[in-house]
Structure formats: C-alpha cells, structure tokens
Amino acid sequence: MFKRICFAAVAMLAMQLATLSAQAQDDNYVAGEHYDVISPAIRGSSDKIEVTEFFWYGCGHCYNFEPQLSQWKKGLADDVVVKGSPAMWNGLMEIHAKAFYAAEALGVLDKMHMPLFQAINVDRKRLADEDELADLFAANGVSREDFSKAYNSFGVGSQARQANARARAAKITGTPELMVAGKYRISTRKAGGQANMLKIADFLIEKERALQMASSGS
C-alpha cells in the first residue's frame, strides 16, 4: 500500500516538474534564436499592441495557418489587435494585395478572406487579373462595379504600397510571418512550426504589455 502511494506521489511530482519545465521553456524564447528583433521598429497605426500577419493568398502555408490564427485571435485581450498585411514580391501578389484592400474598403473582408484563399489553393484559380477577381466577388454578393471602383481607387493603391514598404522594413523572408508591436518578427522556420509562432506571439505580447505598463508607471 505504501509503495503504491509513493509511486503515485512520484508520478504526480514528475508530471508537475514536466509542466513547470514546459512553462519555463515557453518563458525563455530567445531573440535571434526563436524570433528576430526589428530595428528600427515600425510604427503602428493603433494605440493597441499590434500583431501583423504577413501573408499571400496564393501561399498554401498561409491557407493552412489561417484557421489556427482565427482561433487564436478569439482568445486575445482587448488591448491587442491583429492586422493582415499582404506580401508582394511580384505583379501577381500585388493584384492579390489590392483584392485584400478592396474587400476591406467595401466592408466585406470577413466575407471574402477565405473565398480568396480557397479559390487559389483549392479551386486552383490564379486570380491573375481584375476580371477574375470581380467574378469571385460577384459570386459572393459584391457587384462587379463596386469591386472595380474600390480595386482601382487611390486609397487601395496607397494601402498596397504601404504594405509593401512595411514588409520590406520588417525584412520578411517568407509567408506566413508575424510581427508583434512593430518590434519583433516571427518566422515559421525559427519558431519551429506554425503552432509555435502563436506561442511566441503570446510571449512577445506579454513582453510588450509589461514594457508599456512599466513606461506608464502602472
């Protein structure tokens, strides 16, 4: 009886130690090893802690990451905001970036975001020009005229250029990648996987929150 109790106690202690070890590991992410510091930092557009997702609609890894990111966003505190920032290294990516900002300008980003991903990654459409995109938007209840007006607007073109400049300043090397508070860049490669990207983002959000509290004297 005593041996069984001792065995149970040892097993419980081992589980507690394993949990503490995992927590300690999560609390010791190292700059340069698990994430990169962006210098100079990139100014955000909000007074909240901004998490920026660099993505491309034609990226299969981004398509697979999106459900994880959406679930993760549901658990974030009110002082955190997540913003998409399309990457563009060529003309096709610029077309897709403008589709993202056109959807945002029309107030239909929630409706169009996954259909844009699915059209390319599942239906194998290139969405290589304005007409193809207008067809997709029309199929999802947005008139071709409204889409084309937004797509060709000065505001959408300006936002696409800003997104390109942002990605260059952050020195992203692929997609998906995350940026926290304009100060830290998280890549899949250094994080060791997409799930770990979100764990590191949690760690950096807490780090930034502590810095803000300290600077405000709270």
Side-chain angles (χ1 to χ4, degrees), residues 64-76:
N64 293 329
F65 182 53
E66 204 62 28
Q68 297 180 62
L69 182 68
S70 295
Q71 188 62 35
W72 177 75
K73 287 193 290 189
K74 294 177 182 177
L76 294 175

Side-chain angles (χ1 to χ4, degrees), residues 18-73:
T19 300
L20 290 171
S21 176
Q23 291 174 343
Q25 185 176 5
D26 285 350
D27 289 343
N28 283 282
Y29 293 119
V30 178
E33 182 178 348
H34 303 104
Y35 64 91
D36 291 298
V37 176
I38 298 170
S39 182
I42 300 170
R43 184 184 297 275
S45 59
S46 166
D47 58 356
K48 296 186 176 185
I49 300 171
E50 290 187 11
V51 178
T52 304
E53 177 204 12
F54 294 103
F55 73 97
W56 172 40
Y57 282 124
C59 166
H61 296 297
C62 299
Y63 174 64
N64 293 329
F65 182 53
E66 204 62 28
Q68 297 180 62
L69 182 68
S70 295
Q71 188 62 35
W72 177 75
K73 287 193 290 189

Side-chain angles (χ1 to χ4, degrees), residues 30-186:
V30 178
E33 182 178 348
H34 303 104
Y35 64 91
D36 291 298
V37 176
I38 298 170
S39 182
I42 300 170
R43 184 184 297 275
S45 59
S46 166
D47 58 356
K48 296 186 176 185
I49 300 171
E50 290 187 11
V51 178
T52 304
E53 177 204 12
F54 294 103
F55 73 97
W56 172 40
Y57 282 124
C59 166
H61 296 297
C62 299
Y63 174 64
N64 293 329
F65 182 53
E66 204 62 28
Q68 297 180 62
L69 182 68
S70 295
Q71 188 62 35
W72 177 75
K73 287 193 290 189
K74 294 177 182 177
L76 294 175
D78 291 340
D79 65 339
V80 181
V81 62
V82 179
K83 297 186 176 183
S85 187
M88 55 199 92
W89 300 302
N90 55 49
L92 181 61
M93 294 175 80
E94 183 179 352
I95 288 170
H96 295 163
K98 289 176 65 178
F100 171 83
Y101 286 116
E104 190 172 66
L106 292 167
V108 296
L109 185 57
D110 287 345
K111 178 193 291 189
M112 292 303 308
H113 196 51
M114 287 312 297
L116 283 160
F117 268 121
Q118 291 167 2
I120 300 174
N121 293 280
V122 179
D123 302 331
R124 300 303 178 188
K125 297 179 180 179
R126 289 195 74 223
L127 301 184
D129 56 41
E130 182 182 336
D131 283 341
E132 284 189 81
L133 286 165
D135 287 341
L136 181 64
F137 274 71
N140 286 273
V142 180
S143 76
R144 294 176 63 90
E145 182 181 358
D146 287 345
F147 167 74
S148 292
K149 184 176 180 180
Y151 180 84
N152 292 296
S153 68
F154 174 81
V156 164
S158 177
Q159 285 180 300
R161 289 190 292 273
Q162 289 173 31
N164 192 25
R166 186 183 305 115
R168 291 176 181 276
K171 296 181 175 64
I172 68 167
T173 57
T175 54
E177 292 192 7
L178 297 176
M179 178 173 69
V180 178
K183 300 177 181 179
Y184 314 106
R185 183 182 66 252
I186 309 168

